[in-house]
Amino acid sequence: MDTGHGKGDQVTSWAGPEEDDELASVRTDGDPPKTAPRNRARNPSLTRRPQGGVSNPEEEKAGETATRQVIKRTGGDATRVFNACQAESVQREPEKDGDQNGILPSASQSVSLTDTWAPSISSIHSSSSPTTHHTMSLSSSSSCSSSSAVSLTPPLPPFVELSAVLAETRLTLDVYRGGAAALPILWGSIPGQLRGLHYLRLGSEDEPGLDGALKVLPYLTQLHSLAIRGHCFYDSQGVPLPGLLTALPSSVSSLSLLTHLDLSFNQLLCLPPCLLNLPALSSLLICHNHLSALPPDIGQLSSLRYLSLLGNQLISLPQSVGQLKALQTLDISYNLLQSLPEEVGALGELVKLELSHNKLRQLPETIGSLHSLRELVVHSNDLRFIPQCLSELPLLKMDTRNNPLGRPPTPPPLPPSPEQVEKNVPELHLGFNQHSFCVSSAGCHVFLPRGAELLFPPGCLATTTRLEWGERKPHRKWVWLEEHDILLSHPLELCPHGITFLKPVEVCVPYHQRKRREVIVRRFDGKTWSTLPTVLRRGSQSHSSHPGGRPARLACCSVGQFSWFVVVCRPVRDSCSVTADGTLLVSSADPGIKLHFPPESTLHPRKITLEVLQVSVSEVQVMCGDPQASVSPLLCLSQTPSINFLLPVKVQVPLPPGVTGHMVDMSCLHLLHGDPSAQTWTDITSQVSLHVTHLYAIFYITSFSWYWLWYTTKRCVGGVVRRIYQRLKQFRVQFLVLQRKTDPTQVLLQCLPSNKVENRVQCLSEQYDGPQPSDLCDLLEGEQFFAGFERGLDVNADRPDCIGGRLYFVFYSSLKNLKEVYICPAQGHDVPVRGQVSFYRGEIPADLPEAVALKRKGLDTQWLTTLPLRLPDLNSENRIMEESHYPPLNLGDPESGYLTEANLLSISLQIGQDWRTIGINLGLQYHELEHIQYKHRDNLGALVLDMLFNWARRQKGVGPGAVLRLVEAMVKSERKDLAEEIEDIVSLGKTKYRESLKRVGLEPQTSSQHNEPQQ
């Protein structure tokens, strides 16, 4: 018997010996069908004349018309079509039989002598019973003769003919979404041919259609193979649609010939009891359901040879599983099994046992009795040892990866003390505009916008206290990053700084995932940064950073005081304390990397830190131009105190990928020593004793630094390594410069790692036009760069991030690095401008002549790239603002918050399609917004300006606080980016205002009120 199966969505349904290569749609279940079944020649049985009679064309046409009328009358609903067709079919058959014999059939004549139907379903045959064999033949033949014109629309598409899904004894209805609803229609039209089906495939993503198909199922008593599966189709987001099957009717037990059954990717909570009454069942797949236990009498399936329960929630197996004497393949991977019953050893025919991704702590000794076993897969469990009895099975292949083999057993956790038992604390969900909250002695679980969480345990505060939070923009001057660190979050500020809690408070900061790196939380107390012990988890199910999305990834730490917190990732780091007794340090990133400290290598305890940086071999080959080059992971070793060891320390590292001890050319193997302070690399191969085994290289050192093992044919290794190491710290980035289609004066600037550019451009293409992304450039994490507008273009200089007329950026590879600005022609340009924006490292040389800048073609020490911009003539139809229509307007006052007309213009250009929501939150009436939309229906930029300036003019007589109201409206409209920009502008204006007061001697007595901007 052939079986097929796989992991995840790759479970392959086996169709039994009846399936052959006539079916064109051969696919791995869970993937979308690649092709529909091929159209075959019309089945001869569909046009065969009824035996014992002559086909009547008028009767055929009448039957076809009746079927179409039923479908039309029922609206295509599968269950209603099925019931209606059954009722009319039962009513017509006695009439035809009575006409042919001259009399109406009596009750005694209606008993079938050759009835092979399943037990009737009351909802279907509540008022009828099977007719005689002669009557059935006539009815079936008549149905078959008219089947060539059976309409399957709906539920199938109009172009689908019967021959596309039905061929001889095979019916495939899982290649069209909702295809299961076609089964009742076919049963009402050609029941005779359906009774002979051997092979049936149904999708279970459509609940009404599935319910109708399940009512027909018990009548298909000749079935050998049946599949009712989910994950056959995908939604618009590419997510597979789950199956909706939750149970099977008990009458399915009448399918006595069924040998193969696939119910994968459904919602089954338990094994349907009717399956235990299928004597011929030899292959059963119930993968990716919700089974938590198997019935104790599962041993009744004595013919079962293949059983797959992959991806369920099974905790244990019943003892009766040992009664499945014919079982050859058992797959129980991706469950929650903690142990196996001893009866597993009775499965004498078992060839493959798949137990990966469970929680098994040990295997039963009886497993050694499985003499037919050839493959045992137990990787990704909690096995500490493998039974010795398995070594007596010489033909057995085992996969034991990802198990703590050889390690001592983990002691059971201690019961929590009364102080550690967490009481239920109230929850508090804050919005973007809620920057303060109160916590009492009862504690609180606070959920911040964008996914952050704060957990205050009961008793952490003696009295009710008001606390504040804020998400800040990272600044390279105070965000501390070590070598190869990557910033994963914006700084989270919690106030008041220095407040002391009676119990530790858990602070959880959301972050973006980085693979093969260690994620940690760092804290800034105003003077220094420190790394905190970090626990990673998902956020609460009831709190997601995006509506309808998955909970955020959180990096959590326990703190006793509030300050600033950020999440960074770094290469995996391990540490230990070395005493005079010696020790062994094994890297958690690569267990093949080990440090052996011999006894008496040190007199005083010292702390050792091992950091492993994984390096892509393909990148190294490209950068150094050597296709044979290969490198081991980079080791960064440090110690406290930093003094040499008394005895050499043994270091073991894996050989570079593709290099083994039997074939290595020792002249090409180089050990490099790196000096992190001087950024130099020295080849020390000739100075150390370098030994090579089959898989590892071993050398001895007395001082700690950086060590890197290389295999290359190049001779000048030190210089090559220095250049490549510098490149490894850099990100290959590209710059985007896009102009909004409805308003070219609004420009989006962004810097992204090159692997993220394509998806970003595709996402923005509907709203923006612009040149292609720039060529590749190199930037370091946290490096600053500037965007300068040239050749007749100017930018609003009132922005806080505008320095010397150029925009200031700081590049962080996991953050957005995005700005939207308003540009205009420089003074004296009244014609269409075709300018450019150039990106520079650091500051721009002030003495660079304009002629040189225009003719620049190559890279210099600061210039990165240049991209073109187009700005239409101010007198053209695209002009956004007419001076006569919008007189100069300023909002607010210098003390409470002040925005100039240029500020308002810049803000309006970033509002876009959110203008209506913002207008409502600003207090404008609905009819006013409708009038503005009608007046500027073809110009989004003018529409937004009119809305914003109409509101701003009304604030002149309202009093102070207009800017604060604008910020609150932006937050309520979920435009926190604009709210932050306004706050930055206001903060900059307040600073300038206070400085001007100082110059004239009018500084207020209490300036502390202005130390920080209002939250």
Side-chain angles (χ1 to χ4, degrees), residues 150-173:
V150 172
S151 173
L152 300 178
T153 306
L156 303 186
F159 60 84
V160 179
E161 298 181 357
L162 180 61
S163 60
V165 295
L166 178 62
E168 297 180 353
T169 60
R170 298 171 177 81
L171 179 59
T172 306
L173 295 176

Side-chain angles (χ1 to χ4, degrees), residues 675-910:
D675 184 347
S677 58
Q679 295 289 315
T680 59
W681 290 89
T682 306
D683 188 348
I684 60 172
T685 310
S686 59
Q687 305 171 22
V688 298
S689 178
L690 182 62
H691 303 283
V692 174
T693 67
H694 181 59
L695 297 176
Y696 300 101
I698 298 173
F699 57 93
Y700 295 83
I701 58 176
T702 57
S703 63
F704 273 9
S705 186
W706 292 357
Y707 295 93
W708 204 356
L709 189 63
W710 272 63
Y711 185 86
T712 178
T713 59
K714 292 186 176 295
R715 296 305 175 190
C716 186
V717 181
V720 173
V721 174
R722 183 175 63 255
R723 292 194 302 269
I724 291 179
Y725 178 75
Q726 292 294 333
R727 289 286 298 273
L728 290 178
K729 296 194 301 180
Q730 298 173 339
F731 289 87
R732 305 289 282 173
V733 302
Q734 291 178 273
F735 296 91
L736 302 182
V737 175
L738 301 174
Q739 294 178 270
R740 186 174 286 275
K741 292 180 179 180
T742 57
D743 180 13
T745 60
Q746 185 178 358
V747 177
L748 178 145
L749 307 175
Q750 190 168 17
C751 175
L752 289 173
S754 57
N755 61 334
K756 300 180 181 180
V757 170
E758 183 176 353
N759 291 337
R760 179 64 175 165
V761 171
Q762 185 177 2
C763 175
L764 296 172
S765 60
E766 294 184 1
Q767 298 181 359
Y768 292 88
D769 279 328
Q772 292 296 317
S774 73
D775 294 333
L776 291 174
C777 302
D778 295 325
L779 285 180
L780 294 172
E781 181 82 6
E783 182 177 356
Q784 67 176 3
F785 64 94
F786 293 87
F789 295 86
E790 305 162 349
R791 298 182 62 182
L793 291 179
D794 202 355
V795 67
N796 175 23
D798 289 339
R799 296 172 57 103
D801 56 356
C802 191
I803 301 176
R806 292 176 169 85
L807 296 182
Y808 171 80
F809 289 80
V810 179
F811 172 75
Y812 292 107
S813 58
S814 294
L815 303 183
K816 287 187 175 181
N817 312 301
L818 170 70
K819 296 182 188 295
E820 288 195 77
V821 298
Y822 167 72
I823 61 173
C824 59
Q827 188 173 6
H829 288 77
D830 296 329
V831 297
V833 174
R834 296 189 180 273
Q836 65 185 30
V837 55
S838 295
F839 295 90
Y840 301 89
R841 300 183 192 274
E843 299 178 354
I844 306 299
D847 56 348
L848 189 66
E850 182 179 359
V852 175
L854 296 178
K855 295 179 180 180
R856 185 193 296 115
K857 296 181 179 180
L859 291 172
D860 58 24
T861 57
Q862 293 178 318
W863 177 80
L864 291 168
T865 188
T866 296
L867 291 171
L869 281 177
R870 173 185 57 83
L871 186 62
D873 183 7
L874 286 181
N875 296 323
S876 65
E877 296 179 357
N878 290 326
R879 184 176 180 183
I880 302 301
M881 184 182 70
E882 296 290 344
E883 294 295 334
S884 59
H885 187 67
Y886 294 111
L889 175 65
N890 296 319
L891 183 65
D893 59 88
E895 295 184 358
S896 64
Y898 187 79
L899 295 177
T900 66
E901 182 181 278
N903 296 145
L904 290 174
L905 183 60
S906 176
I907 294 168
S908 72
L909 294 171
Q910 303 179 54

Side-chain angles (χ1 to χ4, degrees), residues 30-175:
D31 294 334
K34 297 179 177 61
T35 59
R38 291 190 295 264
N39 292 330
R40 299 172 174 78
R42 191 175 304 279
N43 192 330
S45 65
L46 299 183
T47 58
R48 184 182 305 147
R49 300 298 182 186
Q51 297 179 0
V54 179
S55 175
N56 188 344
E58 295 181 359
E59 291 183 1
E60 293 181 6
K61 184 175 181 181
E64 175 186 342
T65 303
T67 302
R68 291 181 180 275
Q69 291 175 350
V70 169
I71 297 174
K72 182 177 180 181
R73 186 170 66 252
T74 59
D77 181 80
T79 304
R80 296 173 62 193
V81 169
F82 173 74
N83 293 334
C85 289
Q86 280 293 311
E88 294 195 7
S89 176
V90 172
Q91 292 176 3
R92 287 197 304 267
E93 288 181 355
E95 295 175 1
K96 294 181 182 179
D97 190 58
D99 292 342
Q100 291 176 357
N101 293 278
I103 57 173
L104 293 174
S106 62
S108 61
Q109 292 173 328
S110 65
V111 179
S112 173
L113 302 178
T114 59
D115 183 21
T116 60
W117 285 18
S120 63
I121 302 175
S122 59
S123 64
I124 300 178
H125 278 208
S126 58
S127 61
S128 64
S129 61
T131 60
T132 62
H133 176 68
H134 178 65
T135 303
M136 288 169 57
S137 299
L138 288 175
S139 175
S140 300
S141 300
S142 175
S143 299
C144 290
S145 64
S146 62
S147 64
S148 60
V150 172
S151 173
L152 300 178
T153 306
L156 303 186
F159 60 84
V160 179
E161 298 181 357
L162 180 61
S163 60
V165 295
L166 178 62
E168 297 180 353
T169 60
R170 298 171 177 81
L171 179 59
T172 306
L173 295 176
D174 65 340
V175 293

